[in-house]
């Protein structure tokens, strides 16, 4: 499927280019099922955000996977949602319980293809240079529910991106793209707002639309390219499925906590103390690591006294135990392994 078969998407893309918290994974390895949606009014979403007076409904990742992929299949889209990685605060039973064991090269099973013609603006994609990695921050959904404004949240996201971008071992040239639309393919396909338009390789969908059930804090969604029969592709034959783009969302509430309290998002570990606060840059830095194809690292377990232990304090460790904004050796090693040869790899 080519972009030329999606004229509404291609037209807008060219217009835009001219203008103790535990991480989990939900993967899709079978044909999804679910309702299709009427997209006849899609272009209207480019004019501004939908109303967000109501709280977003609590979602199950598997349901989101099925709904999104059913809608994309009905539209003959050239990509599908391949994996959802969530950050959550699940309560754990006492006893020596292994929670995660992440070893190896830290690379996810999905990766960007250097110079991918499907991402190129010349062939209907969103990138002027598919040897670069672009990102966009939602212009409408940047305010957290505890009142941290978009200038601050966007600044924290950019700080996290810059932390990865300045590593001397790689030259991926992370470039920001300004978006005039309400970003969010996942949100749009689940009737939560957003829009069907892709404007960048990594899209930050903000705080107002996708709310996962349970104690989820944030989620990264990886979309992969598929062929005309809907099968995932690996055009560079490197053993990794080809990434089309990724979307990152931040949750409002802990649905599994007493009274479903609002997460208290903060900066600099303290502006909203006392209480259990979530550092925006730390979470964004971790999720951006997933956006750049990096997986988790280290081993974590709960001891018989209920205390969470982990073998790594890296940004990409599979648990949030407080602010982490300085990359550790395992973080830089994973990034350099993934991107050190770009765009030759």
């Amino acid at each position: 499927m080519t972009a030329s078969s999606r004229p509404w998407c291609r037209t807008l893309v060219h217009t835009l280019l001219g203008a103790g918290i535990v991480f989990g994974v939900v993967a899709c390895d079978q044909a999804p099922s679910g309702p299709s949606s009427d997209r006849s009014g899609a272009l209207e979403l480019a004019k501004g955000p939908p109303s967000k007076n109501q709280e977003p409904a609590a979602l199950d990742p598997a349901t989101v996977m099925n709904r999104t992929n059913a809608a994309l299949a009905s539209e003959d889209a050239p990509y599908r949602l391949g994996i959802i990685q969530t950050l959550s605060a699940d309560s754990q039973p006492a006893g020596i319980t292994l929670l995660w064991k992440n070893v190896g090269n830290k690379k996810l099973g999905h990766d960007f293809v250097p110079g991918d013609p499907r991402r190129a603006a010349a062939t209907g994609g969103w990138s002027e240079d598919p040897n670069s990695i672009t990102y966009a921050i939602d212009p409408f959904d940047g305010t957290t529910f505890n009142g941290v404004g978009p200038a601050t949240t966007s600044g924290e996201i950019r700080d996290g991106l810059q932390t990865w971008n300045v590593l001397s071992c790689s030259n991926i040239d992370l470039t920001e793209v300004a978006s005039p639309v309400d970003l969010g393919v996942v949100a749009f396909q689940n009737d939560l707002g957003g829009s069907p338009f892709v404007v960048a390789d990594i899209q930050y969908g903000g705080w107002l639309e996708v709310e996962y059930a349970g104690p989820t804090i944030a989620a990264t969604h990886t979309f992969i390219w598929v062929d005309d029969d809907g099968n995932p592709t690996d055009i560079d034959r490197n053993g990794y499925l080809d990434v089309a783009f990724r979307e990152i969302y931040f949750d409002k509430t802990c649905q599994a906590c007493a009274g479903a309290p609002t997460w208290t998002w903060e900066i600099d570990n303290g502006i909203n103390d006392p209480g259990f606060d979530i550092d925006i840059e730390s979470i964004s830095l971790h999720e951006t690591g997933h956006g750049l194809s990096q997986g988790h690292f280290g081993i974590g377990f709960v001891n018989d006294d209920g205390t969470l232990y982990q073998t790594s304090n890296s940004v990409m460790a599979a648990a949030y135990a407080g602010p982490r904004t300085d990359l550790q050796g395992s973080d830089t090693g994973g990034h350099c392994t993934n991107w050190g040869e770009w765009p030759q790899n």
Side-chain angles (χ1 to χ4, degrees), residues 101-144:
K101 184 176 182 180
N102 303 113
V103 295
N105 65 6
K106 297 179 62 185
K107 194 167 188 175
L108 298 176
H110 319 72
D111 201 10
F112 291 102
V113 176
D116 195 332
R118 296 164 294 186
R119 292 170 41 238
T123 56
W126 48 87
S127 180
E128 292 290 355
D129 179 9
N131 277 328
S132 297
I133 300 297
T134 59
Y135 68 91
I137 300 173
D138 194 299
F140 300 119
D141 300 332
T143 300
T144 74

Side-chain angles (χ1 to χ4, degrees), residues 257-333:
C257 300
T262 298
W263 292 122
T264 305
W265 294 90
E266 68 163 17
I267 62 172
D268 297 330
N269 190 28
I271 65 168
N272 293 308
D273 282 339
F276 183 72
D277 299 338
I278 309 296
D279 182 66
I280 298 171
E281 183 181 351
S282 296
I283 303 305
S284 178
L285 182 64
H286 179 101
E287 297 303 318
T288 299
H290 290 320
L292 294 171
S293 301
Q294 189 163 178
H296 291 141
F297 180 78
I299 300 171
F301 59 91
V302 174
N303 210 340
D304 55 6
D305 62 358
T307 304
L308 173 66
Y309 290 90
Q310 52 185 328
T311 62
S312 172
N313 64 348
S314 66
V315 165
M316 296 309 298
Y320 175 77
R324 287 190 181 121
T325 58
D326 295 322
L327 299 178
Q328 304 299 305
S330 59
D331 300 313
T332 57

